[in-house]
Amino acid sequence: MNSFLEAYETPRLFHLAPNLIAASFALMKLMPARLMLDRAEQEGALDKGARIIESSSGSLGLALAMLAAERNYPLTLVTASSLIDLLFAARIRQLGAELIVNEDPSASGDQWGRLSIIEKLIAQRPGTYWPRQYDNPDNPASYARLAELLVRANGQIDCLVGTVGSGGSLCGTAGFLRSVFPDLHVIAVDTNRSALFGHRPGARLLRGLGNSLVPANLRHNEIDEVHWIGAFQAFMATRHLNTMFGAYLGPTSGAAALVAQWYASRNPTASTAVILPDEGGRYQQTVYNDEWLSSLAGWPVCELRSPQRLDRPQEHGEGSWTMLDWQRRMLVNKMAEATKDDLSRNIAKPPRSTQTGRGD
C-alpha cells in the first residue's frame, strides 16, 4: 500500500480525559479493506483486474474505492437511496467506481435487498470478488494493529468502547486486547431500530452504526454492555467534541465518545479506550448545520448525562440513551420476546466457501 493510504488509515491518539484515550480515524475502514484484498490476492480469490463488488454506503465503500483505484480493479458498490448523499456519491464515482443505488422507501438500509442485488450481479459477472465484510474473518483480524497501537501508547487497557456495524472493529480490537488483558470490559454502542442487539430493524436517523441484519463478525459473547444512543444525543455529543477539543468528527464518533466519557468518569481508576471511526466532513450540512437540526421533529432535547438502564432490549426515541448489561451472552438469550422466525430473518446466513469470498 502506498504511503498516503498507510498514513490515512493510522489513527490519531489523544486523551479525552486522564484515564480515557481515543483512537480517532480519518478512514478506519482502510484497515479491513486492505487486509481483505491482500488476503484475497494471496489466496487466488481475487485475480488481477477482476471486478470487486460490495454493499456499502459509507467508509468501507470509500476505502475499497481508494484501494481499487490504486490497484487498478474495477469496483461496484451497492447502496440504498436512504443512505447515500450526493457529495459522497460523487466522490465514489470520481474514484472510478460504479455505484448502484437501490430504492429504500422504508429508510432501513434494506441490507437484504442489497445483498440480493449483489448475488444477481455476481451470477452475471463470473470471476467477481465479494469481500463480504459482515462475516469475512479478515475484517476483525485487521484490527490487530489498532490493539497494538493502543497498548504501546497507553499500556494497560481496562475497558474498550466502540460502535458496532459489521462488528469488525469492536470485536476484532477486543479480541486482541483480551489476549493481553483477560479482564477487559467491552462496551458496544448501537442505536434504535438496529437489529444487532435485539431491536426490530427500521428507519434510523443516526447512521454509521447499527444494521438491519446481524453479521457473523459481531460476536455477542464478547460484549459486556450495550448502549443504544438516540440520534439527538449523538448529534449533541458530536458538536461538543468540536467545541471542547477541536475534534471535527462524525456522529458515530460522538455516540462512542458520549458512552466512553460516562464510563471513564464513573471508573476513574480504570484505563478506558474508545474508537472514534468517522470524521465530520460528510456532516457539514446536517449535524453541524443549525438550520437542518431545527427542521427535525423533536429537536432540541435535554442533554442526558447518564443512560437509562433496561432489563431487556427496548426501542426508545431519538432523545434517548439506554443501556443493558449484556453479560457476554449470545443474542438469542436477550430476545425472549422474539419468535424464531423473527430471529432467522435478521441473522446472517452461516459462512460458506465460494470463489467470491467467505460466508454470506
Side-chain angles (χ1 to χ4, degrees):
M1 183 169 64
N2 68 41
S3 58
F4 172 77
L5 294 186
E6 184 175 5
Y8 207 57
E9 76 168 33
T10 301
R12 297 156 297 187
L13 302 179
F14 68 99
H15 280 86
L16 289 167
N19 65 327
L20 175 56
I21 188 170
S24 179
F25 284 88
L27 187 57
M28 183 180 74
K29 291 297 181 71
L30 270 170
M31 280 187 172
R34 176 171 57 84
L35 185 59
M36 288 189 291
L37 295 191
D38 285 350
R39 289 279 176 83
E41 289 172 342
Q42 294 163 8
E43 297 171 1
L46 175 58
D47 295 329
K48 184 177 181 179
R51 180 169 293 276
I52 301 168
I53 191 168
E54 185 57 281
S55 169
S56 178
S57 60
S59 57
L60 182 82
L62 178 57
L64 286 172
M66 295 169 75
L67 289 165
E70 178 199 21
R71 302 185 187 191
N72 199 29
Y73 289 112
L75 171 68
T76 297
L77 294 173
V78 181
T79 187
S81 59
S82 62
L83 302 178
I84 196 76
D85 61 80
L86 293 177
L87 292 177
F88 192 72
R91 185 175 181 184
I92 292 292
R93 290 187 172 115
Q94 286 165 5
L95 284 163
E98 175 189 27
L99 188 63
I100 297 175
V101 181
N102 186 40
E103 289 302 317
D104 178 29
S106 69
S108 67
D110 190 22
Q111 285 286 11
W112 292 116
R114 289 152 63 186
L115 296 180
S116 177
I117 290 173
I118 287 177
E119 290 178 343
K120 292 176 182 177
L121 290 175
I122 288 174
Q124 297 167 7
R125 301 170 175 176
T128 298
Y129 170 69
W130 182 6
R132 299 176 183 263
Q133 59 164 316
Y134 295 129
D135 53 15
N136 187 330
D138 294 330
N139 177 352
S142 70
Y143 291 95
R145 182 170 176 239
L146 174 56
E148 180 181 3
L149 289 171
L150 287 171
V151 173
R152 287 182 179 275
N154 201 70
Q156 178 78 24
I157 304 291
D158 299 305
C159 175
L160 177 68
V161 180
T163 56
V164 183
S166 72
S169 60
L170 181 63
C171 293
T173 308
F176 290 110
L177 287 177
R178 275 214 175 112
S179 68
V180 183
F181 310 117
D183 296 327
L184 179 75
H185 190 78
V186 178
I187 300 178
V189 181
D190 196 6
T191 192
N192 294 307
R193 294 175 295 284
S194 163
L196 294 175
F197 293 94
H199 285 194
R200 294 182 184 274
R204 298 188 301 278
L205 180 58
L206 179 58
R207 290 295 183 178
L209 73 168
N211 212 315
S212 55
L213 53 75
V214 181
N217 278 330
L218 173 53
R219 298 189 288 270
H220 294 83
N221 59 351
E222 294 188 4
I223 306 300
D224 295 291
E225 292 179 26
V226 178
H227 289 243
W228 290 274
I229 304 297
F232 293 164
Q233 296 299 325
F235 295 165
M236 287 187 289
T238 303
R239 291 166 67 106
H240 286 166
L241 286 174
N242 190 35
T243 57
M244 294 175 65
F245 298 94
Y248 192 62
L249 305 175
T252 306
S253 294
L258 177 63
V259 175
Q261 289 171 312
W262 169 80
Y263 183 88
S265 67
R266 286 171 53 89
N267 298 273
T269 61
S271 178
T272 300
V274 60
I275 303 171
L276 306 180
D278 61 345
E279 292 196 312
R282 289 185 67 183
Y283 306 98
Q284 295 179 39
Q285 299 305 315
T286 53
V287 176
Y288 291 100
N289 185 320
D290 291 339
E291 184 177 345
W292 180 83
L293 287 173
S294 297
S295 72
L296 299 176
W299 177 271
V301 296
C302 293
E303 183 179 358
L304 299 177
R305 300 295 183 182
S306 60
Q308 174 187 351
R309 289 183 177 268
L310 305 176
D311 58 9
R312 60 185 176 88
Q314 290 178 299
E315 180 186 323
H316 288 69
E318 298 299 356
S320 67
W321 172 9
T322 59
M323 69 160 292
L324 178 65
D325 289 322
W326 193 264
Q327 300 174 353
R328 306 189 190 184
R329 303 184 188 185
M330 298 302 291
L331 178 63
V332 68
N333 296 116
K334 288 292 182 181
M335 293 189 66
E337 296 185 346
T339 67
K340 291 182 180 179
D341 287 342
D342 290 333
L343 195 59
S344 64
R345 278 195 295 269
N346 292 323
I347 292 182
K349 300 173 186 177
R352 65 174 183 269
S353 177
T354 71
Q355 73 175 61
T356 59
R358 299 178 183 84
D360 188 320

